[in-house]
């Protein structure tokens, strides 16, 4: 089988080549993203393999279907970049529901510690033989309250890490997990209470119409002064302009962002030496209490290997049997993992 692999990066190739060779799949790597302009590159392939910032809209779905390209293999968990409703009955959308929740949760804690203990500042200072501690005062995580929105695979691992630090956890999920709350160090609460009582808020829910801008001016107004916002989930969960205003007004004490609302034209590419057009991102990055990584939380050796393995297995299963447990279906109330496998 031949699969057109869009938005390919050097770190993708070793594991995809290895699993592809074992399973009779030839990946053809294209540096470009999948867009309406590049979709023609998929001509003659059995499927496309795409990532978080590739576009799979109605125009692209129609064109893929016309070309007989029926497999859209996402090499990620989130699928907010796919028009799932439109895809139903036209292409099979497969995803990697889990590859390493530890990678993302650990990166979230790395960002938090870096920020509140000023490690990013210390690294630069000591390289310049500046051993002053002025302005370096942080705070203990022990005893602080962290609000976790989304208690799925990543949220749970992050909660465990936070418990290791002796933090109190306030959780919110549309579908709470009864086994998670212990009534003491972990409690499910309504969003309002989470906003009012949390010292740190971490987002681990998917981007949907409901969660779009869950952090906005209104919710920030409810937060404690000095709240730390962590977003390693999807950019549009946070209204970036409201966040910037919150930082300027000193309401927000710090922000750690691995994702950004308008990241798709910027993240994963080298724009050093260019003039950044995005004033909000440029201003956020200029702040001493904002740390931005460019959608890097997933990037561990373990995650890359798991992603390549599951993506390849998904494609093989779908091609051989017409079914795949990791197929996504739109079933009226939104996209969900397909249970029947017969949704095409
Ligand atoms: P998951 O499906 O295991 O968990 C998501 C949780 O969010 C579920 O418990 C679900 O019930 C909950 N949820 C759904 N709608 C909600 C709502 N309206 N309000 C509150 N909670 C809601 O997913 P996961 O594997 O834990 O991943 C979480 C998110 O992390 C993904 O959606 C993806 O966007 C993001 N992610 C980011 C990276 C990265 O590199 N930065 C990597 C992987 C995943």
């Amino acid at each position: 089988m031949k699969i057109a692999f869009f938005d390919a990066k050097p770190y993708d190739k070793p594991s995809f080549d290895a699993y592809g060779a074992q399973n009779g799949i030839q990946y053809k790597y294209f540096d470009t993203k999948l867009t309406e302009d590049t979709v023609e590159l998929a001509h003659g392939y059995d499927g496309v393999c795409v990532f978080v910032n590739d576009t799979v809209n109605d125009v692209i779905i129609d064109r893929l279907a016309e070309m007989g390209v029926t497999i859209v293999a996402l090499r990620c968990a989130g699928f907010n970049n796919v028009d799932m409703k439109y895809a139903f009955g036209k292409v099979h959308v497969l995803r990697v529901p889990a590859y390493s929740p530890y990678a993302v949760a650990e990166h979230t804690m790395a960002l938090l510690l870096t920020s509140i203990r000023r490690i990013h500042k210390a690294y630069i200072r000591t390289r310049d033989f500046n051993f002053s501690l002025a302005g370096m005062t942080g705070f203990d995580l022990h005893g602080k309250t962290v609000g976790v929105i989304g208690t799925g695979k990543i949220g749970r691992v992050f909660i465990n890490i936070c418990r290791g630090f002796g933090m109190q956890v306030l959780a919110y999920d549309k579908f709470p997990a009864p086994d998670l709350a212990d009534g003491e160090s972990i409690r499910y609460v309504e969003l309002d209470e989470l906003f009012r009582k949390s010292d740190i808020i971490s987002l681990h829910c998917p981007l949907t119409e409901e969660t779009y801008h869950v952090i906005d001016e209104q919710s920030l107004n409810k937060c404690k002064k000095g709240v730390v916002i962590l977003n390693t989930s999807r950019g549009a969960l946070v209204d970036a302009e409201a966040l910037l205003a919150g930082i300027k007004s000193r309401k927000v004490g710090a922000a750690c962002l691995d994702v950004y609302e308008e990241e798709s034209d910027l993240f994963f590419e080298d724009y050093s030496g260019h003039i950044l057009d995005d004033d909000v991102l440029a201003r956020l990055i200029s702040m001493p209490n904002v740390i931005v990584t460019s959608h890097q939380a997933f990037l561990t050796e373990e995650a890359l290997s798991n992603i390549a393995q599951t993506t390849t297995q998904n494609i093989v299963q779908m091609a051989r049997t017409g079914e795949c447990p990791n197929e996504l279906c739109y079933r009226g109330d939104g996209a969900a993992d397909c249970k029947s496998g017969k949704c095409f």
Side-chain angles (χ1 to χ4, degrees), residues 156 177-182:
R156 273 174 179 260
D179 63 305
L180 186 64
D182 62 6

Side-chain angles (χ1 to χ4, degrees), residues 163-181:
R163 290 182 76 198
F165 278 80
M167 301 172 83
Q168 295 291 313
V169 180
L170 296 179
Y172 174 79
D173 196 297
K174 192 176 174 188
F175 308 102
D179 63 305
L180 186 64

Side-chain angles (χ1 to χ4, degrees), residues 77 95 97-98 100-102 104-105 148-161 169 171-180 188 202-206 233:
R95 70 160 176 161
S100 170
Y102 311 102
V104 181
V148 177
I149 301 180
T151 57
K153 292 175 284 294
I154 296 169
R156 273 174 179 260
V157 176
F158 185 67
I159 285 172
N160 264 338
I161 295 173
V169 180
Y172 174 79
D173 196 297
K174 192 176 174 188
F175 308 102
D179 63 305
L180 186 64
Y188 274 107
S202 196
L203 305 176
H204 299 290
C205 56
S233 209

